[in-house]
Amino acid sequence: MDSIRFFSCSSLPQDIILKISSSLQVIDLCALSSCSTFWRELCGSDILWEPLFRQRWPLLSSFESDGDNTLFLQTQTNENSQEWRRFYVMQHKEMASRASEVIKYVTKSPATLSLEAGIYLHAVETMSSMRFGFQDVELFFFKANLSVLLNLIGLIYCIQHLKPRREQVVDALRRCGISEQLVWVKWLTLGRWSGGSRMRDDIVSRQVSLVDVVTGKEETVLRVLQRGVVHEVLRVCISTVDLACAPCSSSTIRNY
């Protein structure tokens, strides 16, 4: 009987192995690195981790100063260096901490079932200042066990600041199991003038799914969500329950 020869990937030239490994996602790369000492060393190469870092955080050209930790991403990439994996892990932990801060800010609101525009838009701007990438939003805000209000805040941030392809956002919502999550959006608009007198303020309450906000089926709702209280819109609030029966007048506007 002819002897059976077993083919080992480690027998390939290192540049070929790196080329193949560069097609892996982070979770797969980490799993591969646990197979042996050879793979642990190879999967830690800067050749693999620098593109992963820059793809996840395109807005970051360098680490910002956080207390005593100041790291500048000026490391020269080569197959023997493993600095970029360390940078990636550190930044992932930092973004997880920042996401926790945003979530705590939102959930500390006395009204846990609804949020005024001032609160959720402040959370969106805070996320912008923290430079969240799309994968950060997917990991930390597009979670099925979070309130749909937090899902929506992450969604508004993506649309308003990251501007990814619509298909990319829809895929992420479906992958995370939140695409059909429903949220109530209610806004109060200033009554129009007619015949020298102002008509009554108009109240609009609409239930929408997250995926409909993305796909353009609810463009009016999206415009209201992004603009908040401005011009003719006196109040905007989002909720997990129907606010149709709740009072909504200019006298109940809260400033933040």
Side-chain angles (χ1 to χ4, degrees), residues 92-137:
H92 173 82
K93 292 179 178 179
E94 176 62 26
M95 287 306 189
S97 176
R98 294 179 182 182
S100 179
E101 291 177 19
V102 174
I103 292 172
K104 285 180 180 178
Y105 166 75
V106 172
T107 54
K108 76 176 182 180
S109 172
T112 55
L113 297 180
S114 63
L115 294 174
E116 298 281 345
I119 292 181
Y120 76 74
L121 287 179
H122 177 74
V124 169
E125 292 307 312
T126 299
M127 292 175 68
S128 177
S129 68
M130 292 178 170
R131 299 183 180 180
F132 282 94
F134 185 79
Q135 289 185 45
D136 297 315
V137 177

Coordinates of all heavy atoms in Angstrom, one line a residue, residues 92-137:
H92 N -10.0 47.9 20.9 CA -11.3 47.2 21.1 C -11.8 47.4 22.6 O -13.0 47.6 22.8 CB -11.1 45.7 20.8 CG -12.4 44.9 21.2 ND1 -13.5 44.8 20.3 CD2 -12.7 44.1 22.3 CE1 -14.4 44.0 20.9 NE2 -13.9 43.6 22.1
K93 N -10.9 47.2 23.5 CA -11.3 47.4 24.9 C -11.7 48.8 25.2 O -12.6 49.1 26.0 CB -10.1 47.0 25.8 CG -9.8 45.5 25.8 CD -8.6 45.1 26.7 CE -8.3 43.6 26.7 NZ -7.1 43.3 27.6
E94 N -11.0 49.8 24.6 CA -11.3 51.2 24.8 C -12.7 51.5 24.3 O -13.5 52.2 24.9 CB -10.3 52.0 24.1 CG -10.6 53.5 24.1 CD -10.6 54.1 25.5 OE1 -10.0 53.5 26.5 OE2 -11.3 55.1 25.7
M95 N -13.0 50.9 23.1 CA -14.3 51.2 22.5 C -15.4 50.5 23.3 O -16.5 51.0 23.4 CB -14.4 50.7 21.0 CG -13.6 51.6 20.1 SD -14.1 53.3 20.2 CE -13.3 54.0 18.8
A96 N -15.2 49.3 23.9 CA -16.1 48.7 24.7 C -16.5 49.5 25.9 O -17.6 49.7 26.4 CB -15.6 47.3 25.1
S97 N -15.4 50.2 26.5 CA -15.6 51.0 27.6 C -16.4 52.3 27.3 O -17.3 52.7 28.0 CB -14.2 51.5 28.2 OG -14.3 52.4 29.2
R98 N -16.1 52.8 26.1 CA -16.8 54.0 25.6 C -18.3 53.7 25.4 O -19.2 54.5 25.7 CB -16.2 54.6 24.4 CG -14.8 55.2 24.6 CD -14.2 55.7 23.3 NE -12.8 56.2 23.6 CZ -12.0 56.7 22.6 NH1 -12.5 56.9 21.4 NH2 -10.8 57.2 22.9
A99 N -18.5 52.5 24.8 CA -19.9 52.1 24.5 C -20.7 52.0 25.8 O -21.9 52.4 25.9 CB -19.9 50.8 23.8
S100 N -20.0 51.5 26.9 CA -20.6 51.3 28.2 C -21.0 52.7 28.7 O -22.1 52.8 29.4 CB -19.7 50.6 29.1 OG -20.3 50.4 30.4
E101 N -20.2 53.7 28.5 CA -20.5 55.0 29.0 C -21.8 55.6 28.3 O -22.6 56.2 29.0 CB -19.3 56.0 28.7 CG -18.1 55.7 29.5 CD -16.9 56.6 29.2 OE1 -17.2 57.7 28.5 OE2 -15.8 56.3 29.5
V102 N -21.9 55.4 27.0 CA -23.0 55.9 26.3 C -24.3 55.2 26.8 O -25.3 55.8 27.0 CB -22.9 55.7 24.8 CG1 -24.1 56.0 24.0 CG2 -21.7 56.5 24.3
I103 N -24.2 53.9 26.9 CA -25.4 53.1 27.4 C -25.8 53.5 28.8 O -27.0 53.6 29.0 CB -25.0 51.6 27.3 CG1 -24.9 51.1 25.9 CG2 -26.1 50.7 28.0 CD1 -24.3 49.7 25.7
K104 N -24.9 53.7 29.6 CA -25.2 54.2 31.0 C -25.9 55.5 31.0 O -26.8 55.8 31.7 CB -23.9 54.2 31.9 CG -23.4 52.9 32.3 CD -22.2 53.0 33.1 CE -21.6 51.7 33.6 NZ -20.4 51.8 34.4
Y105 N -25.4 56.4 30.1 CA -26.0 57.8 30.0 C -27.4 57.7 29.6 O -28.3 58.3 30.1 CB -25.2 58.6 29.0 CG -25.9 59.9 28.6 CD1 -26.0 61.0 29.4 CD2 -26.6 59.9 27.3 CE1 -26.7 62.1 29.1 CE2 -27.3 61.1 26.9 CZ -27.3 62.2 27.8 OH -28.0 63.3 27.4
V106 N -27.7 56.8 28.6 CA -29.1 56.7 28.0 C -30.0 56.0 29.1 O -31.1 56.4 29.3 CB -29.1 55.9 26.7 CG1 -30.5 55.6 26.3 CG2 -28.3 56.7 25.6
T107 N -29.5 54.9 29.7 CA -30.4 54.2 30.6 C -30.6 54.8 31.9 O -31.4 54.4 32.7 CB -29.8 52.7 30.8 OG1 -28.4 52.8 31.2 CG2 -29.8 52.0 29.5
K108 N -29.8 55.8 32.3 CA -30.0 56.5 33.5 C -31.2 57.5 33.5 O -31.6 58.0 34.5 CB -28.8 57.3 34.0 CG -28.5 58.6 33.2 CD -27.3 59.3 33.7 CE -27.2 60.7 33.0 NZ -26.0 61.4 33.5
S109 N -31.8 57.7 32.3 CA -32.9 58.6 32.2 C -34.1 58.0 33.0 O -34.3 56.8 33.0 CB -33.3 58.7 30.7 OG -34.5 59.4 30.6
P110 N -34.8 58.9 33.7 CA -35.9 58.4 34.5 C -37.0 57.7 33.7 O -37.6 56.8 34.1 CB -36.5 59.7 35.1 CG -35.3 60.7 35.1 CD -34.6 60.3 33.8
A111 N -37.2 58.2 32.4 CA -38.2 57.5 31.6 C -37.5 56.4 30.8 O -36.9 56.6 29.7 CB -38.8 58.5 30.6
T112 N -37.5 55.2 31.3 CA -36.8 54.1 30.7 C -37.4 53.6 29.4 O -36.8 52.9 28.6 CB -36.6 52.9 31.7 OG1 -37.9 52.6 32.1 CG2 -35.8 53.3 32.9
L113 N -38.7 53.9 29.3 CA -39.4 53.4 28.1 C -39.5 54.4 27.0 O -39.9 54.1 25.8 CB -40.9 53.0 28.5 CG -41.0 51.8 29.5 CD1 -42.5 51.6 29.7 CD2 -40.4 50.6 29.0
S114 N -39.1 55.6 27.2 CA -39.1 56.7 26.2 C -37.9 57.6 26.4 O -37.4 57.8 27.5 CB -40.4 57.4 26.2 OG -40.6 58.1 27.4
L115 N -37.5 58.3 25.3 CA -36.4 59.3 25.4 C -36.8 60.5 24.6 O -37.3 60.4 23.5 CB -35.1 58.7 24.8 CG -34.5 57.5 25.6 CD1 -33.3 57.0 24.7 CD2 -34.0 58.0 26.9
E116 N -36.5 61.6 25.1 CA -36.7 62.9 24.4 C -35.5 63.1 23.4 O -34.4 62.4 23.5 CB -36.7 64.1 25.4 CG -37.8 64.0 26.4 CD -39.1 64.5 25.8 OE1 -39.1 65.1 24.7 OE2 -40.2 64.3 26.4
A117 N -35.7 63.9 22.4 CA -34.7 64.1 21.3 C -33.4 64.6 21.9 O -32.3 64.2 21.5 CB -35.3 65.1 20.3
G118 N -33.5 65.5 23.0 CA -32.3 66.0 23.6 C -31.4 64.9 24.1 O -30.1 65.0 24.0
I119 N -31.9 63.8 24.6 CA -31.1 62.8 25.2 C -30.5 61.9 24.1 O -29.3 61.7 24.0 CB -32.0 61.9 26.1 CG1 -32.3 62.7 27.4 CG2 -31.2 60.6 26.5 CD1 -33.1 61.9 28.4
Y120 N -31.4 61.4 23.2 CA -30.8 60.5 22.2 C -29.9 61.2 21.2 O -28.9 60.6 20.7 CB -31.9 59.7 21.5 CG -32.7 60.4 20.4 CD1 -32.2 60.6 19.2 CD2 -34.1 60.7 20.7 CE1 -33.0 61.2 18.2 CE2 -34.8 61.3 19.7 CZ -34.3 61.6 18.5 OH -35.1 62.2 17.5
L121 N -30.1 62.4 20.8 CA -29.2 63.1 19.9 C -27.9 63.5 20.6 O -26.9 63.5 20.0 CB -29.9 64.4 19.4 CG -31.0 64.2 18.4 CD1 -31.6 65.5 17.9 CD2 -30.5 63.4 17.2
H122 N -28.0 63.7 21.9 CA -26.7 63.9 22.7 C -25.9 62.7 22.7 O -24.7 62.7 22.5 CB -27.0 64.4 24.1 CG -25.8 64.5 24.9 ND1 -24.9 65.6 24.8 CD2 -25.2 63.8 25.9 CE1 -23.9 65.5 25.6 NE2 -24.1 64.4 26.3
A123 N -26.6 61.5 22.8 CA -25.9 60.2 22.8 C -25.2 60.0 21.4 O -24.1 59.5 21.3 CB -26.8 59.1 23.1
V124 N -25.9 60.4 20.3 CA -25.4 60.2 19.0 C -24.1 61.1 18.8 O -23.1 60.6 18.2 CB -26.5 60.6 17.9 CG1 -25.8 60.7 16.5 CG2 -27.6 59.6 17.9
E125 N -24.2 62.3 19.3 CA -23.0 63.2 19.1 C -21.9 62.8 20.0 O -20.7 62.9 19.6 CB -23.4 64.7 19.5 CG -24.4 65.3 18.5 CD -23.9 65.2 17.1 OE1 -22.7 65.6 16.8 OE2 -24.6 64.8 16.2
T126 N -22.2 62.2 21.1 CA -21.1 61.6 22.0 C -20.4 60.5 21.3 O -19.2 60.3 21.3 CB -21.7 61.1 23.3 OG1 -22.3 62.2 24.0 CG2 -20.6 60.5 24.2
M127 N -21.2 59.6 20.6 CA -20.6 58.5 19.8 C -19.7 59.1 18.7 O -18.7 58.5 18.4 CB -21.7 57.6 19.2 CG -22.5 56.9 20.3 SD -23.9 56.0 19.5 CE -23.0 54.7 18.6
S128 N -20.1 60.2 18.1 CA -19.3 60.8 17.0 C -18.0 61.2 17.6 O -16.9 61.0 17.0 CB -20.1 61.9 16.4 OG -19.3 62.6 15.4
S129 N -18.0 61.9 18.8 CA -16.8 62.4 19.4 C -15.9 61.3 19.8 O -14.6 61.4 19.9 CB -17.1 63.3 20.6 OG -17.7 62.5 21.6
M130 N -16.5 60.1 20.1 CA -15.7 58.9 20.5 C -15.2 58.1 19.3 O -14.5 57.1 19.5 CB -16.5 58.0 21.4 CG -16.8 58.6 22.8 SD -17.9 57.5 23.7 CE -17.8 58.3 25.3
R131 N -15.6 58.5 18.1 CA -15.1 57.9 16.9 C -15.4 56.4 16.7 O -14.5 55.6 16.4 CB -13.6 58.2 16.7 CG -13.3 59.6 16.6 CD -11.8 59.8 16.3 NE -11.5 61.2 16.2 CZ -10.2 61.7 16.0 NH1 -9.2 60.8 15.9 NH2 -10.0 63.0 15.9
F132 N -16.7 56.0 17.0 CA -17.1 54.6 16.8 C -17.0 54.3 15.4 O -17.5 55.1 14.5 CB -18.5 54.4 17.4 CG -18.5 54.3 18.9 CD1 -18.8 55.4 19.7 CD2 -18.3 53.1 19.5 CE1 -18.9 55.3 21.0 CE2 -18.4 52.9 20.9 CZ -18.7 54.1 21.7
G133 N -16.5 53.1 15.1 CA -16.6 52.6 13.7 C -17.9 51.7 13.5 O -18.6 51.5 14.5
F134 N -18.1 51.3 12.3 CA -19.4 50.6 12.0 C -19.4 49.3 12.8 O -20.4 48.8 13.4 CB -19.5 50.3 10.5 CG -20.8 49.6 10.2 CD1 -22.0 50.4 10.1 CD2 -20.9 48.3 10.0 CE1 -23.2 49.7 9.8 CE2 -22.0 47.6 9.6 CZ -23.2 48.4 9.6
Q135 N -18.2 48.6 12.9 CA -18.2 47.3 13.6 C -18.4 47.5 15.1 O -18.9 46.6 15.7 CB -16.8 46.6 13.3 CG -16.7 46.1 11.9 CD -15.4 45.3 11.8 OE1 -15.0 44.5 12.6 NE2 -14.7 45.5 10.7
D136 N -18.0 48.7 15.6 CA -18.2 48.9 17.0 C -19.7 49.0 17.3 O -20.2 48.5 18.3 CB -17.5 50.3 17.4 CG -16.0 50.2 17.3 OD1 -15.4 49.2 17.7 OD2 -15.4 51.2 16.8
V137 N -20.4 49.7 16.4 CA -21.9 49.9 16.6 C -22.5 48.5 16.5 O -23.4 48.2 17.3 CB -22.4 50.8 15.5 CG1 -23.9 50.9 15.6 CG2 -21.8 52.2 15.6

